[in-house]
Amino acid sequence: MSLIVVGTMAFDAIETPFGKVDKIIGGSATYVSWAASNFIKPIKQVSIIGGDFPDKEIASLKERGVEFDGVEVVKDGKSFFWSGRYHLDMNTRDTLITDLNVLAQFNPQLPDSYQGSEFLMLGNLAPAVQISVIKQLKTRPKLIVLDTMNFWMEVALDGVKEVLTMVDVLMVNDAEARQLSGEHSLVKAAMKIMKMGPKFLIIKKGEHGALLFHEKSVFFAPALPLEDVFDPTGAGDSFAGGFIGHLAKTKDISYNNMKTAIIVGSAMASFCVEKFGPSRLQEVSPADITERINEFVELVNFDINLV
Amino acid sequence: MSLIVVGTMAFDAIETPFGKVDKIIGGSATYVSWAASNFIKPIKQVSIIGGDFPDKEIASLKERGVEFDGVEVVKDGKSFFWSGRYHLDMNTRDTLITDLNVLAQFNPQLPDSYQGSEFLMLGNLAPAVQISVIKQLKTRPKLIVLDTMNFWMEVALDGVKEVLTMVDVLMVNDAEARQLSGEHSLVKAAMKIMKMGPKFLIIKKGEHGALLFHEKSVFFAPALPLEDVFDPTGAGDSFAGGFIGHLAKTKDISYNNMKTAIIVGSAMASFCVEKFGPSRLQEVSPADITERINEFVELVNFDINLV
């Protein structure tokens, strides 16, 4: 039972109303693996980094059971760099700089040791790269989860539509669901998107929680009301890591278990936003996670007594 | 066991992306009573109307157990009129016209028959009017619920602060909670507002659901994801009516029962938005309400199995 995680490993510079950092570790695959490694190992990482990516960070991930056979290191290249600014409303952000660097040449070749994995998390990347990874797998994974973004809908919509036919679960935010479907109502948007391929759709609404759609059913998970959201970077990827990590651990990909997985994902996202970068994710213990999940249970638990 | 409802009974003109109506029945007390009368009677209405308010509407409410002894009729006056426009994002609206008409002279005198009521719902009105009603009650009700708006925080903040010291539950939306507290974080806002008087605070977030705060606890109720939100007018008042109606029916004002009451309120709000004005509220049956509440249970129900 293993999990392949495909995505970026990068440097981020981030400004929020609470502070500023110049160059910290980031990238979708970094956040996914930190979150998922609480639940499942090994994690078979697929990414590309420059010679500037710190050995220490690689060693910490390896200690958590993350394998690097599928991570290409371009010794004289620089790692992907992203810089962004959040305003008081943490649900939106401005991208200030995107330096692709080694990511521009990313053409992942899956090592033989990655074959036979049952779970595949495709982080936000060019659809062509996501499709290439799926096609390299000789046996289709039991579950393929896809993340994508508005950017790819604008520059590579045909690619997005193609990869959608190949996956089980799509994760997007509310604005992206509206853009992809052309529908303002999220219920109508979900019905249209599920006709494009994925049998399950997760719509992330940031501080307003997440919706899981499947056939005619819908499940809602709130975000935990936090005193401070310090830095939302990586929250969506931490959510994805908790989600697929729980499914891989329990080996159960039913709709019912996906509801629980969304709560686990929401818990991981709620940790992520408490500090800059993945630092909070790196320090949480299993007991912290259990306690946080219980807070979610408390948050939505009610008795219906209509008598 | 009876409920006093104080608020406006009015005419509304409404524009939404789905259509337009020129002059339909509206007003906070109208919506509260339509929603609450599914759960409790009698309802002792306190309001003011002009001679233009239709007898038929009064008769329908009376049939539902709403008493009119506390409703002043100004025969040669005109009822309060409000006109507004919603955009595609139904969470915000522009007010086009506010004609106070008879509301300008509203100075409610509670009939003796209203004394001894155990539940009091103070709809959005000038704080001075809300305070006057509380002071006229010889025995303090078991539960006083207050609705107010940003408008009163701007023009009568001292009055808002005074009435806050006299009530048990405050209902405001997220923007109003931030304005009243000066805190962006809703958790911090809630802590500050509860120090101003109310032991319970409900923060309404429209399509993003509602939060109930009490001491150190928080409960979250989602809004039902609907295919179409046709007209949000009155949704907050329908929510209030379902909330206090359930509490009055069950005679239980514990935090735990308030969670259930919020689900009931959310169900009533979800009906309200399906048609223009209170028309949908007027036609729902007890079976419809039970079915809708079960949809809320389905929406948030999950098993936690972390093994």
Side-chain angles (χ1 to χ4, degrees):
Chain A
M1 188 66 52
S2 67
L3 164 65
I4 299 176
V5 172
V6 188
T8 55
M9 300 184 71
F11 291 112
D12 289 343
I14 301 161
E15 281 179 56
T16 80
F18 302 105
K20 192 177 165 176
V21 285
D22 275 343
K23 195 180 177 188
I24 60 170
I25 297 298
S28 58
T30 305
Y31 283 102
V32 170
S33 290
W34 273 111
S37 62
N38 287 287
F39 308 99
I40 181 82
K41 61 181 66 171
I43 292 174
K44 297 172 182 296
Q45 195 91 333
V46 179
S47 194
I48 187 166
I49 55 180
D52 54 352
F53 202 85
D55 291 339
K56 189 171 147 278
E57 295 295 330
I58 296 171
S60 319
L61 279 166
K62 282 183 175 170
E63 241 172 65
R64 296 281 288 234
V66 180
E67 298 177 0
F68 273 68
D69 300 358
V71 178
E72 186 183 346
V73 185
V74 184
K75 281 255 154 57
D76 54 355
K78 289 171 74 180
S79 300
F80 175 51
F81 174 75
W82 175 82
S83 164
R85 182 188 292 138
Y86 296 87
H87 305 280
L88 203 53
D89 170 6
M90 292 280 199
N91 279 350
T92 54
R93 67 185 182 192
D94 301 330
T95 288
L96 303 176
I97 303 168
T98 306
D99 287 337
L100 287 180
N101 300 328
V102 298
L103 193 62
Q105 66 193 77
F106 189 33
N107 180 21
Q109 305 302 317
L110 287 201
D112 281 347
S113 61
Y114 282 30
Q115 294 293 340
S117 293
E118 294 188 76
F119 290 84
L120 172 59
M121 176 69 227
L122 294 167
N124 171 49
L125 280 171
V129 173
Q130 296 173 322
I131 292 167
S132 154
V133 170
I134 297 174
K135 287 190 171 164
Q136 289 177 55
L137 286 165
K138 289 167 193 156
T139 312
R140 189 194 189 278
K142 196 169 156 183
L143 190 79
I144 304 179
V145 179
L146 177 77
D147 189 12
T148 189
M149 268 184 75
N150 52 350
F151 177 76
W152 303 111
M153 298 172 196
E154 281 146 29
V155 305
L157 184 59
D158 287 348
V160 171
K161 286 187 176 168
E162 187 182 347
V163 69
L164 279 178
T165 66
M166 306 167 84
V167 305
D168 303 298
V169 183
L170 172 66
M171 289 181 177
V172 285
N173 70 28
D174 43 358
E176 290 156 354
R178 288 179 170 132
Q179 183 172 345
L180 185 58
S181 64
E183 292 285 349
H184 185 82
S185 150
L186 293 180
V187 177
K188 288 184 177 173
M191 296 307 144
K192 269 200 180 176
I193 291 170
M194 287 191 289
K195 284 188 184 144
M196 297 178 181
K199 293 183 291 293
F200 300 88
L201 171 65
I202 295 172
I203 299 182
K204 299 174 288 183
K205 303 198 298 172
E207 63 160 321
H208 302 303
L211 292 162
L212 167 66
F213 291 92
H214 175 57
E215 294 173 354
K216 300 272 175 204
S217 298
V218 57
F219 170 69
F220 177 83
L224 208 63
L226 295 169
E227 287 210 21
D228 292 306
V229 172
F230 196 79
D231 169 22
T233 309
D237 299 314
S238 306
F239 175 89
F243 175 78
I244 202 161
H246 174 79
L247 295 178
K249 175 186 181 181
T250 53
K251 305 172 193 180
D252 173 359
I253 58 170
S254 67
Y255 174 63
N256 258 340
N257 197 43
M258 281 195 196
K259 294 180 185 178
T260 308
I262 283 191
I263 299 294
V264 174
S266 301
M268 299 318 296
S270 77
F271 285 121
C272 176
V273 303
E274 290 178 347
K275 288 190 179 177
F276 272 122
S279 52
R280 183 76 181 110
L281 281 186
Q282 292 165 352
E283 66 192 21
V284 293
S285 69
D288 293 333
I289 296 172
T290 302
E291 191 189 329
R292 185 60 59 97
I293 288 170
N294 287 335
E295 288 181 50
F296 276 90
V297 175
E298 279 303 298
L299 183 63
V300 295
N301 196 32
F302 62 92
D303 302 321
I304 276 296
N305 172 13
L306 295 172
V307 179
Chain B
M1 188 66 49
S2 66
L3 165 64
I4 299 177
V5 172
V6 187
T8 55
M9 301 185 70
F11 291 112
D12 288 343
I14 301 161
E15 283 179 56
T16 82
F18 303 105
K20 193 176 164 175
V21 285
D22 276 342
K23 195 180 177 187
I24 60 170
I25 297 299
S28 58
T30 306
Y31 284 101
V32 170
S33 290
W34 273 110
S37 61
N38 287 287
F39 308 98
I40 179 83
K41 61 180 66 168
I43 292 175
K44 298 174 181 295
Q45 195 91 333
V46 179
S47 194
I48 187 167
I49 54 180
D52 54 353
F53 201 86
D55 290 340
K56 188 169 147 280
E57 294 296 330
I58 296 170
S60 320
L61 279 166
K62 282 185 175 168
E63 241 173 67
R64 294 281 287 235
V66 180
E67 297 178 0
F68 273 67
D69 300 358
V71 178
E72 185 182 348
V73 184
V74 184
K75 280 256 154 58
D76 53 355
K78 289 171 72 181
S79 300
F80 175 50
F81 175 75
W82 176 82
S83 163
R85 181 190 292 139
Y86 295 88
H87 305 279
L88 203 51
D89 170 5
M90 293 279 200
N91 281 350
T92 53
R93 66 186 182 189
D94 301 329
T95 289
L96 304 176
I97 303 168
T98 306
D99 286 337
L100 287 181
N101 299 329
V102 297
L103 193 61
Q105 66 193 78
F106 189 33
N107 179 21
Q109 305 303 318
L110 288 200
D112 281 346
S113 61
Y114 282 29
Q115 294 294 340
S117 294
E118 294 189 76
F119 290 84
L120 172 58
M121 176 69 227
L122 294 167
N124 170 50
L125 280 170
V129 173
Q130 296 172 323
I131 292 167
S132 153
V133 170
I134 297 174
K135 288 190 172 165
Q136 289 177 55
L137 286 164
K138 289 168 195 157
T139 313
R140 188 192 189 277
K142 194 168 157 182
L143 191 80
I144 304 179
V145 179
L146 176 77
D147 189 12
T148 188
M149 267 184 76
N150 53 350
F151 176 76
W152 302 112
M153 298 172 197
E154 282 146 27
V155 305
L157 184 59
D158 286 348
V160 171
K161 286 186 177 169
E162 186 182 348
V163 69
L164 280 178
T165 67
M166 306 167 85
V167 304
D168 303 296
V169 183
L170 172 66
M171 291 183 175
V172 284
N173 70 28
D174 43 359
E176 289 155 355
R178 288 179 171 131
Q179 182 172 346
L180 185 59
S181 64
E183 292 285 349
H184 185 81
S185 150
L186 293 180
V187 177
K188 288 185 177 174
M191 297 308 143
K192 270 200 179 176
I193 291 170
M194 286 190 291
K195 283 187 186 145
M196 297 178 183
K199 292 183 291 293
F200 300 89
L201 171 66
I202 296 171
I203 299 182
K204 299 173 287 182
K205 304 198 298 172
E207 63 161 320
H208 301 302
L211 292 162
L212 167 66
F213 291 91
H214 174 58
E215 293 172 356
K216 300 272 173 201
S217 299
V218 57
F219 170 69
F220 177 83
L224 208 63
L226 296 169
E227 289 211 20
D228 293 306
V229 172
F230 196 79
D231 170 22
T233 310
D237 299 314
S238 306
F239 175 90
F243 176 78
I244 202 161
H246 174 78
L247 294 177
K249 175 186 179 181
T250 53
K251 305 172 194 179
D252 173 357
I253 59 170
S254 67
Y255 174 62
N256 258 341
N257 197 42
M258 282 195 196
K259 296 180 185 178
T260 308
I262 283 193
I263 299 293
V264 175
S266 301
M268 299 318 296
S270 77
F271 285 122
C272 175
V273 303
E274 290 179 344
K275 289 190 178 177
F276 272 120
S279 51
R280 183 75 180 109
L281 280 186
Q282 292 166 351
E283 66 192 20
V284 293
S285 68
D288 293 332
I289 295 172
T290 303
E291 191 189 328
R292 186 58 59 94
I293 287 170
N294 286 335
E295 287 181 50
F296 277 90
V297 174
E298 278 303 297
L299 183 63
V300 295
N301 194 33
F302 62 92
D303 301 323
I304 276 296
N305 171 14
L306 295 172
V307 180

